Amino acid sequence: MGVDPSKFSSNLMKQCKRFVDQENVLFAQNENISERTPLEILMQSYNCLIESKDQGLIGSSTACIIVFNRESKILYSANLGDSGFVVIRNNKIVFRSQEQYHYFNAPFQLALLPSMNNEENLFSDKPQSADVRSFQLVEGDLIVLATDGLWDNLSESHLLLKTSNIRDFYVEDMQQAAKNIASFATELSQDPNYMSPFAISARKNGINFKGGKPDDITVLLARVSKS
């Protein structure tokens, strides 16, 4: 029987949403949001999946959780693996989350492993291994949050070119911009002659690789504004 790898990641995010919804009163108070908040969300959600012992959820996933304190305008993050985010200010990247690898192309990841004798050959990191950061935002900052499929295929210069074309920041405009960025990265991922960020990294690790890296690509956009 095959394994649907999307079940673990989608259920992990559902648990994150459930936890935030349950603690909505707590998170509504800015003073309760701190550098540890994203990590707490990730830990609680992952533990729920582990405790469920649902063998239908076998799989693994990287994770990136960000929380914004509206009062202090501080962005808190917990990033595990090679998904991540950047903060763009005045068309320049002023912050980028830290990627985590065991070795090239083997990112840190949370996992629900099958009951197998060889599970020592599979990676299963702890939420506490996530890279926890905080960054001061200002009005007008743009946040791009994405899976590794974006970062493996889209250079920073390509990303800045795409985000600089965003003229309006209504929800519909942001949704369309995210779709455009994801579509462009998908096109690049299928180009065998493109020297992608993944290909550049592969060559730095002694692997002669050229082209994009086909993968699932998810992109979220957010902008700091008064309203």
Side-chain angles (χ1 to χ4, degrees):
M1 180 180 294
V3 173
D4 182 351
S6 68
K7 285 188 176 181
F8 178 83
S9 57
S10 61
N11 276 275
L12 177 63
M13 290 299 100
K14 287 176 182 177
Q15 287 295 337
C16 287
K17 182 180 185 303
R18 184 182 67 83
F19 178 73
V20 171
D21 289 343
Q22 285 180 342
E23 302 295 337
N24 187 51
V25 175
L26 174 67
F27 291 134
Q29 304 299 317
N30 286 301
E31 62 268 21
N32 294 326
I33 298 176
S34 68
E35 189 172 70
R36 189 170 174 80
T37 303
L39 182 60
E40 286 288 347
I41 294 172
L42 189 59
M43 289 170 55
Q44 294 283 352
S45 303
Y46 177 65
N47 287 339
C48 283
L49 295 188
I50 294 298
E51 291 171 1
S52 74
K53 297 181 181 179
D54 185 350
Q55 291 296 296
L57 298 180
I58 288 172
S60 63
S61 176
T62 60
C64 184
I65 306 294
I66 60 175
V67 177
F68 180 56
N69 186 315
R70 292 177 180 270
E71 186 174 302
S72 65
K73 289 187 173 61
I74 295 178
L75 184 72
Y76 299 106
S77 64
N79 188 56
L80 188 135
D82 58 356
S83 291
F85 70 97
V86 297
V87 177
I88 299 173
R89 179 180 301 163
N90 299 323
N91 205 35
K92 294 181 180 179
I93 293 177
V94 294
F95 182 85
R96 181 165 184 161
S97 57
Q98 183 66 49
E99 298 173 341
Q100 297 174 307
Y101 296 95
H102 292 282
Y103 50 82
F104 174 66
N105 206 28
F108 282 31
Q109 52 195 313
L110 302 176
L112 183 60
L113 300 177
S115 300
M116 296 167 56
N117 294 326
N118 65 338
E119 53 183 53
E120 66 271 9
N121 296 323
L122 304 174
F123 290 121
S124 180
D125 298 289
K126 302 297 183 184
Q128 293 87 335
S129 296
D131 184 64
V132 176
R133 301 290 179 103
S134 62
F135 186 74
Q136 182 69 57
L137 300 180
V138 300
E139 186 179 348
D141 281 352
L142 185 68
I143 305 160
V144 182
L145 178 70
T147 56
D148 61 302
L150 180 78
W151 311 118
D152 283 340
N153 291 292
L154 203 65
S155 66
E156 290 187 353
S157 60
H158 274 139
L159 178 61
L160 292 174
L161 182 62
K162 288 296 181 182
T163 55
S164 67
N165 291 328
I166 304 175
R167 295 291 176 251
D168 296 303
F169 296 94
Y170 298 108
V171 173
E172 296 80 7
D173 300 299
M174 296 284 275
Q175 288 178 335
Q176 187 58 53
K179 289 179 181 179
N180 292 342
I181 292 171
S183 295
F184 184 53
T186 300
E187 289 178 19
L188 293 175
S189 74
Q190 298 167 352
D191 184 347
N193 297 312
Y194 170 55
M195 187 53 69
S196 64
F198 179 82
I200 293 172
S201 182
R203 294 195 175 197
K204 287 180 179 179
N205 284 273
I207 301 172
N208 187 18
F209 180 87
K210 186 177 182 180
K213 182 176 182 284
D215 201 350
D216 295 328
I217 298 174
T218 299
V219 179
L220 298 174
L221 293 181
R223 184 173 183 264
V224 180
S225 62
K226 288 183 180 179
S227 57

